[in-house]
Amino acid sequence: MFKLTKNQQYGIIILLVVVLFTTGYFIFEKNKNNDSNIDMSLKSTDSVLNADNTNEMVSNEKPKEIKVYVTGLVKSPGVYTMKDGDRVDDAIKLAGGALEGADLSNINLAEKVKDEQMIKVPKIGENNNSTGGIGDVEKADGKININKATKEELDTLPGIGEVTAQRIIDFREQHGNFQKIEDIMNVSRIGPKLFEQIKDKITVD
């Protein structure tokens, strides 16, 4: 029978130990990689779920509802419920649209509607406070209501041209009504000097 020397036996033992160690190392690394892949997969799934939850919360937020009164030469005058950010054009369409003979030339159809706003569609030749509230744009004393005046009406004020008139309307749409006549000086290009020229010709009431 073939016999191994002690050195050969030691060599075989060492070789087996090396083989076992190497095999164990590769098995450990493989399991480690699998665990990492599982963790990454779980994190990715959590991210997707969180994104879905966030989108669902955003979609569930309802825009603020406001009431506007559409009157004048429209098919179905009345009070309509609208969303914050809707335009005057949307309100007129809700009321069935303007009828034949309506004059839309002095109505800012792109203006955002406001709660409790009255939108009147006049007939051709009729003086109109197109998107204001109760009361006339021009008072009996001849003053122009800067909270309700159209671009053309503001243009009649001394020192106020078409560009500045549009700035007044833009400011009013962005910040709401003027609380006092002095507030008009917050509009770009309207300073104390120009205000002195127009202060006796304007009102906010």
Side-chain angles (χ1 to χ4, degrees), residues 27-79:
I27 292 174
F28 173 77
E29 286 296 322
K30 184 177 181 180
N31 290 336
K32 183 179 178 181
N33 290 334
N34 288 337
D35 291 341
S36 298
N37 291 335
I38 292 172
D39 288 342
M40 291 178 64
S41 177
L42 290 174
K43 288 180 180 178
S44 177
T45 302
D46 288 342
S47 298
V48 172
L49 290 174
N50 289 334
D52 289 341
N53 289 336
T54 300
N55 291 334
E56 185 177 352
M57 290 176 63
V58 171
S59 62
N60 286 337
E61 292 180 1
K62 293 183 178 179
K64 177 184 175 184
E65 290 189 345
I66 56 179
K67 300 282 188 180
V68 298
Y69 175 46
V70 185
T71 185
L73 216 59
V74 292
K75 185 175 181 180
S76 303
V79 176

Side-chain angles (χ1 to χ4, degrees), residues 28-202:
F28 173 77
E29 286 296 322
K30 184 177 181 180
N31 290 336
K32 183 179 178 181
N33 290 334
N34 288 337
D35 291 341
S36 298
N37 291 335
I38 292 172
D39 288 342
M40 291 178 64
S41 177
L42 290 174
K43 288 180 180 178
S44 177
T45 302
D46 288 342
S47 298
V48 172
L49 290 174
N50 289 334
D52 289 341
N53 289 336
T54 300
N55 291 334
E56 185 177 352
M57 290 176 63
V58 171
S59 62
N60 286 337
E61 292 180 1
K62 293 183 178 179
K64 177 184 175 184
E65 290 189 345
I66 56 179
K67 300 282 188 180
V68 298
Y69 175 46
V70 185
T71 185
L73 216 59
V74 292
K75 185 175 181 180
S76 303
V79 176
Y80 291 91
T81 300
M82 306 190 68
K83 297 183 181 65
D84 189 25
D86 284 347
R87 310 285 175 166
V88 170
D89 184 54
D90 299 322
I92 294 175
K93 288 178 180 177
L94 274 179
L99 299 177
E100 184 178 354
D103 183 7
L104 300 176
S105 61
N106 288 325
I107 298 179
N108 183 1
L109 297 175
E111 180 183 351
K112 291 182 179 180
V113 296
K114 295 176 278 290
D115 195 31
E116 300 180 358
Q117 182 177 4
M118 181 181 78
I119 301 170
K120 181 180 179 182
V121 177
K123 61 183 178 181
I124 296 174
E126 178 184 0
N127 186 29
N128 176 45
N129 172 21
S130 61
T131 58
I134 300 173
D136 297 324
V137 173
E138 186 172 348
K139 298 293 183 179
D141 56 8
K143 292 185 178 182
I144 297 293
N145 188 328
I146 56 177
N147 283 329
K148 302 172 183 177
T150 63
K151 179 179 177 180
E152 290 75 14
E153 289 160 339
L154 290 169
D155 191 21
T156 63
L157 293 168
I160 303 293
E162 290 185 8
V163 174
T164 305
Q166 187 60 53
R167 285 198 181 105
I168 294 172
I169 292 174
D170 292 341
F171 184 91
R172 190 172 67 196
E173 292 176 357
Q174 294 172 12
H175 303 282
N177 287 344
F178 298 101
Q179 300 302 310
K180 53 185 184 296
I181 61 173
E182 289 80 6
D183 289 343
I184 200 171
M185 286 189 287
N186 293 323
V187 177
S188 176
R189 302 295 179 87
I190 299 182
K193 186 175 180 180
L194 180 54
F195 177 70
E196 286 296 320
Q197 299 180 44
I198 64 175
K199 68 178 183 179
D200 295 329
K201 301 179 183 298
I202 60 176

